[in-house]
């Protein structure tokens, strides 16, 4: 069983920055590939960024050059640094991992980009 808890969302003006955090329970974090997804109202949930156990990263084209995913294995935490935010980045952001046969998701954190 893995529990994920996101934090760091909020309201920010266009061009601003936010850093999301996702804390993972248990002692297996360093063996987990991690990902951030987002879901805007009326749209499907899409991958934003992934980071594997070696630290290799992958990004959706829409966020390349603006978002950075990172991990701190000592803190069981994965981060998403979001810069140059745009109104179209508004969504609920979810942390996700896969452990064994199952996918695990956090509860989500709302990010709203608006003036």
């Amino acid at each position: 069983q893995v529990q994920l808890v996101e934090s760091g969302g909020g309201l920010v003006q266009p061009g601003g920055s936010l850093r999301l955090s996702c804390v993972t329970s248990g002692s297996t974090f360093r063996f987990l590939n991690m990902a951030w997804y987002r879901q805007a109202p009326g749209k499907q949930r899409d991958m934003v960024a992934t980071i594997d156990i070696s630290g290799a990263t992958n990004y959706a084209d829409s966020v390349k050059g603006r978002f950075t995913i990172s991990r701190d294995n000592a803190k069981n935490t994965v981060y998403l640094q979001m810069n140059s935010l745009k109104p179209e980045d508004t969504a609920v952001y979810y942390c996700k991992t896969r452990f064994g046969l199952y996918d695990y998701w956090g509860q989500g954190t709302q990010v709203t980009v608006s003036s």
Side-chain angles (χ1 to χ4, degrees), residues 1 5 7 10 16-17 19 30-31 47 51 57 59 62 66-67 78 81 84-86 90 99 104 108-109 111 114:
Q1 188 82 8
V5 179
S7 62
S17 298
R19 189 177 80 155
R30 65 187 182 277
F31 302 119
M47 185 276 289
I51 185 167
T57 59
Y59 297 92
S62 59
R66 300 188 299 122
F67 290 12
V78 61
Q81 178 65 45
S84 302
L85 282 161
K86 304 175 182 180
T90 295
F99 182 66
Y104 292 89
T109 186
V111 172
S114 175

Side-chain angles (χ1 to χ4, degrees), residues 12-20 38 47-49 59-69 79-90 93 111 113:
V12 63
Q13 292 187 342
S17 298
L18 282 175
R19 189 177 80 155
L20 306 183
R38 67 186 181 187
M47 185 276 289
V48 175
Y59 297 92
D61 288 343
S62 59
V63 307
K64 280 180 181 176
R66 300 188 299 122
F67 290 12
T68 302
I69 188 172
Y79 302 99
L80 186 68
Q81 178 65 45
M82 305 186 294
N83 299 329
S84 302
L85 282 161
K86 304 175 182 180
E88 51 264 43
D89 295 317
T90 295
Y93 284 71
V111 172
V113 185

Side-chain angles (χ1 to χ4, degrees), residues 9-99:
L11 173 64
V12 63
Q13 292 187 342
S17 298
L18 282 175
R19 189 177 80 155
L20 306 183
S21 300
C22 172
V23 179
T24 303
S25 65
S27 59
T28 59
F29 178 78
R30 65 187 182 277
F31 302 119
L32 300 176
N33 298 323
M34 303 296 299
W36 285 97
Y37 281 69
R38 67 186 181 187
Q39 187 167 21
K43 295 189 177 181
Q44 67 180 21
R45 192 174 296 188
D46 291 326
M47 185 276 289
V48 175
T50 65
I51 185 167
D52 71 13
I53 60 174
S54 72
T57 59
N58 185 45
Y59 297 92
D61 288 343
S62 59
V63 307
K64 280 180 181 176
R66 300 188 299 122
F67 290 12
T68 302
I69 188 172
S70 61
R71 65 190 297 156
D72 185 337
N73 289 342
K75 295 183 178 180
N76 284 7
T77 302
V78 61
Y79 302 99
L80 186 68
Q81 178 65 45
M82 305 186 294
N83 299 329
S84 302
L85 282 161
K86 304 175 182 180
E88 51 264 43
D89 295 317
T90 295
V92 179
Y93 284 71
Y94 297 91
C95 181
K96 179 227 176 185
T97 191
R98 186 170 183 87
F99 182 66

